[in-house]
Amino acid sequence: MKRVAILIVTLFCSLSVFASENETKTFLVIFKSKELKSHKVSLKEIESQFSSVYKTKSYEGNSEPSVMIDIPACDFDECFLGDFLISLGKGEEIKLQEIAFRVIDMTESKKALEQKLLLLSETHKKVSKTEKVNPRP
């Protein structure tokens, strides 16, 4: 019985290690203040439309108004997110891409940056090995 209990505990521990967590995607949506004013919509109104479903955080102040949206386990891209309809009130709706200055996929940007840094470090290692073999006078 003791061996069976140890086997079951070990099995559950090993399965939890191999379980893959669903990666959340983070999008940064940057707005121009003039665009928001021309459509008579505030950043808080836009954020509230997304916050009921997704985790959001808005930024205002000295920089351009922006909203970060975390979407769990999705196949969204910037274009798909840009097609979301934003309610302007009085029954009017507009696509997010029409009022947003930029929609940036932060997850993809992070992956691309990591790949470029890896490539740069590999190139740097190759150059330093070449300099050790052929030192310059």
Side-chain angles (χ1 to χ4, degrees), residues 30-47:
I30 304 171
F31 300 94
K32 290 285 188 184
S33 299
K34 292 179 184 178
E35 282 289 320
L36 293 176
K37 287 179 184 176
S38 69
H39 291 288
K40 298 177 184 168
V41 66
S42 71
L43 187 63
K44 293 293 181 188
E45 292 172 358
I46 294 172
E47 181 188 16

Side-chain angles (χ1 to χ4, degrees), residues 23-27 104-112:
E23 183 177 300
T24 62
K25 281 193 144 184
T26 303
F27 292 95
I104 302 168
D105 185 348
M106 298 297 286
T107 307
E108 288 297 317
S109 297
K110 181 180 177 184
K111 287 178 184 176

Side-chain angles (χ1 to χ4, degrees), residues 22-84:
N22 294 332
E23 183 177 300
T24 62
K25 281 193 144 184
T26 303
F27 292 95
L28 175 65
V29 184
I30 304 171
F31 300 94
K32 290 285 188 184
S33 299
K34 292 179 184 178
E35 282 289 320
L36 293 176
K37 287 179 184 176
S38 69
H39 291 288
K40 298 177 184 168
V41 66
S42 71
L43 187 63
K44 293 293 181 188
E45 292 172 358
I46 294 172
E47 181 188 16
S48 68
Q49 293 178 30
F50 284 103
S51 66
S52 62
V53 181
Y54 307 115
K55 182 181 172 186
T56 61
K57 187 165 186 172
S58 64
Y59 298 94
E60 288 184 278
N62 293 334
S63 62
E64 295 294 333
S66 58
V67 175
M68 289 193 77
I69 305 170
D70 290 330
I71 303 174
C74 67
D75 291 331
F76 286 11
D77 62 352
E78 299 93 343
C79 297
F80 188 77
L81 186 68
D83 287 336
F84 274 62

Side-chain angles (χ1 to χ4, degrees), residues 77-94:
D77 62 352
E78 299 93 343
C79 297
F80 188 77
L81 186 68
D83 287 336
F84 274 62
L85 293 175
I86 303 298
S87 175
L88 299 176
K90 299 179 185 175
E92 295 179 46
E93 292 182 338
I94 190 170

